[in-house]
């Protein structure tokens, strides 16, 4: 308790110095989390860490302090008094509430879009690029601006309201630093092993990429039930025929009545044709009954149902996967896109476990081609190999003018 009291006395007496110190510690700690947990580096890049810590000191601790305390203090002279009021008194103070939301507006809709993000993108370019290009960093921000600001406001508008409504003036910078560090900890825990988004994770505030990362990190990596459910029989069911209402219901009901369980499936209308492909697991003694009932079902005759048995890979001839990648690609539709992507994967001696494509309406009513692929390799991959692979995809992004290339790296826990 005496240590906390001493710190609080220092913070009140020297708010600028205290805020800068907290920002240095916070920004340095965030970068160390990213380097050790996300990038999984064996050796810390202290030069980079010092660069980000310096940014934290002078911008987050200095510039933001000047904005939050002396500038906001002059524009809104009752801000400190309002923060010290009891909650019920705050609700009755119309001028105080107006000042509160005025500060939030200036911070979130003026300061961050036009000052903070340009400064951060420029700093990141200088620190993390071998050949820094400040024009490129600003162009990157312009392209990401909508997603970055949307992600920022989802997290930081509520946090800023709490900060400006309840924190004393000296605590505004430490509170923001604590919230930012918590955000980085969550992302690092969710995104360990992500070698594509590590730069975005450096941001003290959520960018569009980091918010996307958080959602992506919730998914499990692809696994085949044919390999997992060893005591079940596995059947591949396919069919195609004239489209009509009720095909999916009829197939699902036929499988369920025969004791089968649908796991992976894809059913789609292509013009006037309806096409289906599904994996069904079933008790071995019920397999023949399942296949026969599907082939003789009157409601499914027009689909020309085919059913074939699936077998597990032989463990004697199959090597265990050393690493897996989940690849997500989006770009304006053009012929040959899937071929180029698949050829790149094959050239790296990687096996495609699951891949899906679709056409989607993008920005300005553009036809976007979307690829989602799960690929694995049995070869041991080192950091330089991943860097080379990612560079290949970045080159492909430039050549095909892709708008999105995301790669999620998955490594088994025992490797």
């Amino acid at each position: 308790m005496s240590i906390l009291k001493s710190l609080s006395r220092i913070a009140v007496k020297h708010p600028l110095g205290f805020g800068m110190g907290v920002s240095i510690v916070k920004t340095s700690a965030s970068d160390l989390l990213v380097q050790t947990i996300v990038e999984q580096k064996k050796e810390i890049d202290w030069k980079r860490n010092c660069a980000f810590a310096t940014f934290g000191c002078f911008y987050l601790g200095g510039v933001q302090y000047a904005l939050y305390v002396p500038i906001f203090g002059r524009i809104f002279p009752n801000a400190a008094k309002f923060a010290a009021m009891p909650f019920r008194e705050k609700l009755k103070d119309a001028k105080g509430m107006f000042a509160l939301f005025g500060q939030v507006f200036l911070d979130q809709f003026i300061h961050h879009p036009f000052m903070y993000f340009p400064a951060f993108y420029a700093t990141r370019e200088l620190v993390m690029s071998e050949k820094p290009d400040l024009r490129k960093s600003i162009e990157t921000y312009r392209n990401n601006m909508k997603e970055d600001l949307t992600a920022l406001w989802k997290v930081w508008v509520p946090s800023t309201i709490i900060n400006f409504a309840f924190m004393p003036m000296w605590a505004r910078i430490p509170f923001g630093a604590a919230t930012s560090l918590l955000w980085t900890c969550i992302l690092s825990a969710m995104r360990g092993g992500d070698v594509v988004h590590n730069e975005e994770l450096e941001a003290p505030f959520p960018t569009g990429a980091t918010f996307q990362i958080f959602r992506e990190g919730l998914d499990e990596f692809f696994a085949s039930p044919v390999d997992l459910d060893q005591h079940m029989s596995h059947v591949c069911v396919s069919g195609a025929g004239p489209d009509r209402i009720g095909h999916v219901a009829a197939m699902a009901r036929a499988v369920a009545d025969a004791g089968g369980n649908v796991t992976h499936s894809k059913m789609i209308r292509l013009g006037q044709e309806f096409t289906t492909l599904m994996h069904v697991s079933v008790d071995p003694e019920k397999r023949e009954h399942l296949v026969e009932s599907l082939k003789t079902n009157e409601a499914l005759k027009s689909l020309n149902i085919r059913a074939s048995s699936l077998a597990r890979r032989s463990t004697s001839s199959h090597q265990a996967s050393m690493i897996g990648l989940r690849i997500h690609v989006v770009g304006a539709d053009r012929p040959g896109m899937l071929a180029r992507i698949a050829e790149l994967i094959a050239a790296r001696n990687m096996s495609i476990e699951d891949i899906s494509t679709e056409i989607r309406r993008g920005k300005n009513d553009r036809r976007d081609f979307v690829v989602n692929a799960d690929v694995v390799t049995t070869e041991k991959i080192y950091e330089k190999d991943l860097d080379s692979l990612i560079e290949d995809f970045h080159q492909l992004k430039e050549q095909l003018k892709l708008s999105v290339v995301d790669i999620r790296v998955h490594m088994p826990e025992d490797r």
Side-chain angles (χ1 to χ4, degrees), residues 59-109:
Y59 192 94
L60 302 180
V63 175
Q64 284 199 173
Y65 174 84
L67 178 68
Y68 286 3
V69 181
I71 294 177
F72 279 2
R74 290 173 185 172
I75 298 175
F76 307 99
N78 293 322
K81 181 181 176 182
F82 179 81
M85 286 182 178
F87 183 70
R88 290 185 178 180
E89 293 299 317
K90 285 182 171 67
L91 297 177
K92 297 176 184 178
D93 187 349
K95 289 184 178 180
M97 294 293 287
F98 177 81
L100 167 63
F101 288 104
Q103 292 173 84
V104 173
F105 174 81
L106 290 176
D107 181 47
Q108 295 295 309
F109 297 91

Side-chain angles (χ1 to χ4, degrees), residues 104-153:
V104 173
F105 174 81
L106 290 176
D107 181 47
Q108 295 295 309
F109 297 91
I110 304 297
H111 165 232
H112 279 91
F114 302 109
M115 291 178 61
Y116 169 75
F117 273 119
F120 172 74
Y121 272 87
T123 301
R124 191 182 70 183
E125 179 70 14
L126 291 170
V127 172
M128 303 191 73
S129 297
E130 292 183 2
K131 297 180 180 179
D133 184 345
L134 294 181
R135 287 186 180 180
K136 179 183 175 183
S137 70
I138 299 304
E139 185 64 27
T140 301
Y141 171 52
R142 287 178 59 187
N143 294 334
N144 296 344
M145 191 173 186
K146 182 178 178 181
E147 290 79 9
D148 283 356
L149 293 177
T150 300
L152 171 84
W153 294 331

